[in-house]
Amino acid sequence: MFLRILDRLEEIIIASLMGAATVITFLAVVHRFLLDMPALYPYLFWIKFTWSQELCIYMFIWMAKFGAAYGVRTGIHVGVDVLINRLNDQWRKGVILFGLFGGALFTAIVGTMGAKFVIELMQTDQVSPDLEIPSWIVYACIPLGSYLMCFRFLQVMWTYARTGELPHHDQTHVDGIETSEKAPIALGEA
């Protein structure tokens, strides 16, 4: 069960944050619209959504950090492999493993420096402007997202070293849709 959740951790976090940000933004827009109605103004004036923009910004920052880890796991990160593909198999494997190790090392360093920053920030009374939550909570996405990305780099590196396969994102594949010989769209005839 734990490994299943770990395998889908990025999707769970990103979907939750995206859904929450969408609901919060929708409510803030509706609130702003309803405030323009003189009959509702006295009732809605006391409800404050000034914090919504700040929270959504923080949610999108967290989504970006965990989205990067998702990109490593699924192979959707942009990569220029024109020269690497021209190498013989032995050299290609070495260069790819070196690149994956470099990604793991870089994200481990960023995660460690981010963790050091967050720990230092925990000793202060610094809070966010509108939400007034401790700033270390906002910045915790740096070590968490970076360490998860490092883990994903190591996971891909381990799999590639054993099997020679890298994660590959098929842009034509859509989950839940099966292609059929009878379907004109699947054959490119529509």
Side-chain angles (χ1 to χ4, degrees), residues 48 52 59 68 71 82 84-85 87 90 94 114 123 125 132 180:
K48 302 294 182 194
S52 64
M59 292 170 123
V82 174
I84 294 171
N85 288 337
L87 298 172
Q90 183 180 4
Q123 310 306 317
D125 292 334
E132 296 184 0
S180 166

Side-chain angles (χ1 to χ4, degrees), residues 83-99:
L83 294 176
I84 294 171
N85 288 337
R86 301 191 112 212
L87 298 172
N88 66 38
D89 289 342
Q90 183 180 4
W91 276 95
R92 183 180 319 120
K93 187 170 186 171
V95 170
I96 290 172
L97 287 172
F98 178 76

Side-chain angles (χ1 to χ4, degrees), residues 13 17 55 57-69 107 110-115 117-119 121 133-150:
I13 292 171
L17 290 173
L55 180 59
I57 289 169
Y58 295 153
M59 292 170 123
F60 279 105
I61 292 169
W62 277 71
M63 280 187 260
K65 287 301 291 178
F66 285 94
T107 53
V110 170
T112 302
M113 292 174 72
F117 177 72
V118 168
I119 291 169
L121 204 53
I133 59 171
S135 291
W136 69 266
I137 293 173
V138 175
Y139 289 102
C141 68
I142 296 169
L144 294 174
S146 296
Y147 284 140
L148 181 60
M149 194 171 177
C150 178

Side-chain angles (χ1 to χ4, degrees), residues 61-77:
I61 292 169
W62 277 71
M63 280 187 260
K65 287 301 291 178
F66 285 94
Y70 175 77
V72 171
R73 182 174 61 83
T74 58
I76 60 174
H77 269 286

Side-chain angles (χ1 to χ4, degrees), residues 16 18 46 55 122 132 140 145 148 155 163 165 178 182:
S16 300
M18 194 175 296
W46 306 107
L55 180 59
M122 289 172 82
E132 296 184 0
L148 181 60
Q155 223 178 10
T163 66
E165 292 184 24
E178 295 182 25
K182 298 176 184 176

